[in-house]
């Protein structure tokens, strides 16, 4: 990953070209530029921020064809107990509406490898779908285990059907919990596992799969043990300011209160938008994005949730 908090980023108002249901509760939106201009290139695993209104930003994975530079496709699950974003998309957005977007960014990139095992749960199929096409085009050996509450709730089954028996669709009301051992036990060393879905599924996959072979993307913050907060100092190298981050206040909020504008979105440590280069000091990582290797390197941190293992950090802000 690279720092994105100060990098130039595409932001534009696109037109909602079409909306259709891909499954029960899953709405698929296709977006295009109002003047027909090309959209930024993206690779499988990328997501965009959808700016629905003040304090209503959500991240959705791109699930179309990266070769199509004129449209972006996202899938949105209606979540009755959500925070309002999916309800707005399902009930307020109509064909022809303008939709402000930002991105794309990719914290879940498909790395070159001879073999892949893909595991998706529910709406977690969205970032996986273009990965399958990329793996196929690269001549890799791969399979997908795809679970959901019921067959009716599982999107893109017609597209997945083109891959034959390499795709296993396993609705919970028909087959029970996913048989993870059937796809994760005894993996060859030249295999990467990509998993996206509910937290419980990701936790179960992480228990079975060695960290170096596993790539996951979370829609919700991962539960993790953290020590007590303490106050610390942050030096903003480029702006020449030094701020004190109090107990219970994030680095992000402290920096913004000091008048320094940085990009952010989820404020939960799941989207990677606020990732910032660390020039000095040791971060106390509390995000759900960075890998174990990236955490150990300590070269970047997500300033919306992470803190300091010590009394001072110097950030490239």
């Amino acid at each position: 990953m690279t720092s994105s908090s100060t990098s130039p980023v595409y932001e534009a108002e696109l037109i909602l070209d079409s909306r259709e249901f891909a499954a029960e509760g899953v709405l698929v939106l296709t977006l295009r530029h109002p003047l027909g201009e090309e959209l930024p290139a993206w690779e499988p695993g990328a997501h965009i921020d959808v700016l629905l209104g003040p304090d209503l930003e959500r991240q959705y994975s791109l699930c179309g064809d990266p070769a199509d530079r004129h449209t972006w496709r996202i899938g949105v699950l209606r979540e009755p107990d959500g925070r309002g974003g999916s309800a707005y998309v399902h009930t307020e957005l109509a064909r022809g509406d303008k939709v402000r977007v930002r991105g794309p960014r990719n914290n879940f990139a498909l790395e070159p490898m001879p073999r892949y095992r893909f595991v998706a749960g529910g709406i977690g199929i969205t970032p996986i779908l273009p990965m399958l096409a990329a793996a196929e085009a690269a001549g890799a050996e791969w399979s997908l285990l795809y679970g959901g509450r019921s067959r009716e709730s599982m999107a893109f089954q017609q597209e997945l059907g083109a891959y034959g028996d390499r795709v296993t669709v396993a609705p919970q009301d028909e087959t029970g919990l996913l048989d993870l051992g059937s796809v994760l036990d005894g993996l060859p060393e030249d295999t990467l596992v990509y998993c996206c879905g509910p937290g419980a599924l990701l936790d179960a996959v992480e228990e079975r799969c060695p960290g170096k072979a596993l790539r996951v993307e979370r829609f919700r913050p991962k539960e993790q043990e953290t020590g007590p907060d303490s106050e610390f100092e942050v030096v903003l190298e480029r702006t020449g300011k030094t701020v004190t981050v109090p107990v219970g206040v994030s680095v992000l909020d402290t920096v913004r209160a000091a008048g320094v504008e940085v990009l952010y979105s989820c404020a939960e440590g799941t989207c990677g938008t606020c990732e910032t280069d660390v020039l000095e000091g040791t971060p106390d990582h509390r995000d759900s994005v960075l890998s174990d290797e990236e955490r150990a390197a300590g070269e970047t941190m997500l300033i919306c949730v992470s803190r300091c293992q010590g009394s001072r950090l110097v950030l490239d802000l």
Side-chain angles (χ1 to χ4, degrees):
M1 292 181 64
T2 58
S3 176
S4 59
S5 61
T6 56
S7 303
V9 65
Y10 179 81
E11 185 171 330
E13 271 192 343
L14 303 184
I15 299 296
L16 178 51
D17 197 48
S18 69
R19 47 172 285 156
E20 58 184 359
F21 282 93
E24 185 180 278
V26 179
L27 185 62
V28 175
L29 308 182
T30 302
L31 305 166
R32 61 172 174 81
H33 194 279
L35 300 180
E37 296 179 4
E38 284 193 343
L39 301 175
W42 61 280
E43 296 181 351
H47 69 264
I48 57 173
D49 302 331
V50 180
L51 287 61
L52 300 169
D55 301 318
L56 191 60
E57 299 182 14
R58 297 293 182 265
Q59 294 75 47
Y60 298 109
S61 298
L62 292 168
C63 58
D65 179 2
D68 179 0
R69 294 292 302 278
H70 289 91
T71 64
W72 280 348
R73 185 174 73 160
I74 58 175
V76 182
L77 171 67
R78 177 68 183 267
E79 299 182 85
D81 299 323
R83 297 176 294 156
S86 69
Y88 185 94
V89 170
H90 276 249
T91 61
E92 301 296 328
L93 291 184
R95 184 179 179 187
D97 282 354
K98 295 179 179 179
V99 181
R100 192 151 199 88
V101 302
R102 185 170 58 214
R105 293 185 183 83
N106 200 338
N107 307 319
F108 193 44
L110 185 68
E111 302 170 29
M113 192 63 70
R115 308 174 197 274
Y116 301 99
R117 296 293 178 266
F118 299 103
V119 181
I123 197 62
I125 190 62
T126 50
I128 298 295
L129 195 61
M131 290 185 179
L132 305 183
E136 182 78 356
E141 187 270 311
W142 63 268
S143 67
L144 165 67
L145 179 60
Y146 177 27
R149 298 188 315 277
S150 65
R151 195 173 295 274
E152 292 74 23
S153 70
M154 299 171 68
F156 306 117
Q157 291 183 65
Q158 185 172 353
E159 293 180 41
L160 293 171
Y163 295 117
D165 60 6
R166 281 173 293 176
V167 173
T168 301
V169 176
Q172 186 174 349
D173 62 352
E174 297 178 21
T175 63
L177 296 177
L178 291 179
D179 181 8
L180 297 177
S182 66
V183 295
L184 299 181
D185 290 350
L187 290 178
E189 289 187 4
D190 60 350
T191 306
L192 279 180
V193 177
Y194 280 79
C195 180
C196 186
L201 172 62
L202 300 185
D203 292 343
V205 171
E206 286 180 336
E207 287 183 7
R208 277 188 172 270
C209 193
K212 290 185 178 180
L214 178 62
R215 307 290 183 268
V216 301
E217 184 168 59
R218 292 181 178 269
F219 297 137
R220 296 286 183 269
K222 180 181 180 180
E223 291 187 11
Q224 49 193 309
E225 294 183 7
T226 61
D229 286 358
S230 59
E231 184 177 279
F232 58 96
E233 185 179 83
V234 173
V235 178
L236 310 178
E237 181 73 13
R238 279 195 271 159
T239 50
K241 294 184 178 183
T242 298
V243 297
T244 299
V245 180
V247 173
V249 180
S250 70
V251 176
L252 173 64
D253 288 344
T254 304
V255 168
R256 295 183 69 236
V260 179
E261 288 301 317
V262 294
L263 286 176
Y264 71 99
S265 187
C266 73
E268 295 181 326
T270 58
C271 75
T273 304
C274 70
E275 187 184 1
T276 301
D277 288 333
V278 178
L279 304 179
E280 293 181 31
T282 304
D284 176 10
H285 295 292
R286 303 184 180 187
D287 65 274
S288 303
V289 174
L290 297 179
S291 67
D292 290 342
E293 291 80 6
E294 289 167 329
R295 288 184 172 213
E299 296 175 353
T300 68
M301 65 183 289
L302 271 63
I303 61 173
C304 66
V305 292
S306 297
R307 299 184 69 80
C308 178
Q309 292 185 28
S311 60
R312 183 174 181 269
L313 286 172
V314 180
L315 302 181
D316 187 23
L317 291 173

